[in-house]
Amino acid sequence: MESPRKWYPSATEVDGWCRAVFRRAEGADVGGELLDPLPWSAVGGIRHARMRYVAFHSVALGTWYGIWQPCPSGRGPLLVHVPGYAAEMSAHPELTADGYNVLHVNPLGYVTPEGPDLSKRVDDAWPVLPDTVRTLGEGGYFDWLTQAAAATLWALRQDGVRGDGPAFFGTSQGGGGALLLGSILADEGVRAVAADVPYLTDFAWVYEHKSGAAYARITGPLQALAEDGPQRLAAGWKALGFVDTLSHAHRLSMPVLLTAGSVDTTCPPETIRALFERLPGTRAYVELGGQSHGYTVPFMTLTRAWMRLHV
């Protein structure tokens, strides 16, 4: 099989794409509406009084949500958490206790403070990756990343946020998204990235090996494009190349922590090692023996140490 990497964008094209996402986010005039305090619950973890759901509103980008978690000390750096493909909301009280402001951003309005917006699901799944292929990169992750970047810029403007650059972290799609946001906002002084079993990594490998969830989610849209002719198929692969973390390795010069599971068939360790080998700066790769896909137990401990070192 001929590798679809031949259709991937060049490094120069990736640089231009990142500038386009950033300019769109910067120019979107996003307002953050702090909603009522998070309700007390007998389940669901610790809440502190200043923690709020936040609704992001923009005429250009629409509405999406997050959780704003300011540090109790009143001033600290910004950490941004992005969700996995299930679009789960999550709070991080251990990180605010460490002295960070933490924003969890949940793009495209898939999940709201009231719960999932099931009207946005397609074939019982969130459509962001297939939409990236179907729209040839004009929708899907282009919109998802723009909203996440715009929310980050909003958070950087908040009182008590240290102005020397954000850091990003997440698991699965959140890990891949953290890496892509690190690339998009690299010129804004990104301090570090921590990516747990990162999805959106080496689409070409998983397609060639018929492995991983990425293969299942992109096969149908790619086949539909192939039926329209080779140029459409090439354009679909180029769209995927723009949101493949391997395409952004040259931009990820900040300290990057990667974890992988040795028996992860959703985000195979081969893909994550391929990214690690391309990273140009301070980097760490931790492969967890016997670990399948999901939020890994060591990741938050590793992330807290990584952020203490580099943020």
Side-chain angles (χ1 to χ4, degrees):
M1 177 190 295
E2 191 175 16
S3 174
R5 283 191 185 89
K6 67 180 183 179
W7 293 312
Y8 268 33
S10 68
T12 300
E13 289 174 312
V14 170
D15 294 341
W17 182 88
C18 288
R19 287 193 295 271
V21 174
F22 180 81
R23 285 195 299 265
R24 187 171 178 234
E26 187 180 39
D29 192 23
V30 171
E33 177 190 4
L34 295 176
L35 305 178
D36 290 338
L38 292 172
W40 181 88
S41 171
V43 297
I46 299 167
R47 304 287 190 263
H48 66 71
R50 299 175 65 210
M51 196 178 293
R52 295 285 193 277
Y53 286 116
V54 55
F56 296 104
H57 304 292
S58 166
V59 172
L61 303 180
T63 297
W64 69 102
Y65 300 90
I67 304 177
W68 177 233
Q69 304 153 74
C71 67
S73 66
R75 183 164 179 80
L78 174 66
L79 305 185
V80 179
H81 179 262
V82 285
Y85 208 87
E88 63 282 350
M89 287 261 199
S90 60
H92 298 276
E94 72 281 21
L95 291 172
T96 59
D98 286 346
Y100 303 104
N101 296 284
V102 182
L103 172 68
H104 166 81
V105 58
N106 211 288
L108 299 184
Y110 286 166
V111 174
T112 79
E114 287 73 42
D117 182 350
L118 299 180
S119 70
K120 296 187 175 183
R121 290 174 73 86
V122 176
D123 297 329
D124 201 33
W126 304 118
V128 59
L129 180 56
D131 280 353
T132 302
V133 182
R134 294 188 191 105
T135 65
L136 304 183
E138 294 183 4
Y141 277 113
F142 186 71
D143 294 333
W144 192 98
L145 290 160
T146 300
Q147 290 186 353
T152 300
L153 295 175
W154 171 87
L156 286 168
R157 296 192 298 269
Q158 301 311 295
D159 292 341
V161 175
R162 210 173 72 194
D164 55 355
F168 297 94
F169 70 106
T171 293
S172 189
Q173 174 189 249
L179 290 158
L180 293 171
L181 288 165
S183 173
I184 290 164
L185 281 92
D187 292 340
E188 301 306 298
V190 174
R191 306 287 293 177
V193 175
D196 189 28
V197 295
Y199 192 43
L200 311 178
T201 297
D202 209 350
F203 289 117
W205 190 94
V206 296
Y207 189 81
E208 290 163 5
H209 291 80
K210 296 180 172 55
S211 173
Y215 172 77
R217 290 193 176 109
I218 64 178
T219 299
L222 286 171
Q223 288 176 342
L225 290 176
E227 292 171 3
D228 293 334
Q231 289 185 329
R232 294 274 291 176
L233 177 61
W237 271 110
K238 188 168 188 176
L240 285 170
F242 280 118
V243 296
D244 189 325
T245 63
L246 264 66
S247 300
H248 294 256
H250 68 288
R251 298 178 57 85
L252 295 170
S253 58
M254 70 290 296
V256 174
L257 166 69
L258 302 173
T259 68
S262 68
V263 294
D264 188 342
T265 58
T266 300
C267 299
E270 291 88 346
T271 64
I272 301 165
R273 287 198 298 268
L275 173 62
F276 176 75
E277 290 165 1
R278 289 166 170 79
L279 293 174
T282 299
R283 56 187 180 155
Y285 172 83
V286 179
E287 187 166 310
L288 304 168
Q291 175 70 53
S292 57
H293 194 65
Y295 283 84
T296 69
V297 171
F299 178 64
M300 285 310 301
T301 300
L302 292 167
T303 294
R304 291 171 80 179
W306 197 249
M307 298 307 176
R308 280 197 299 272
L309 282 168
H310 301 295
V311 178

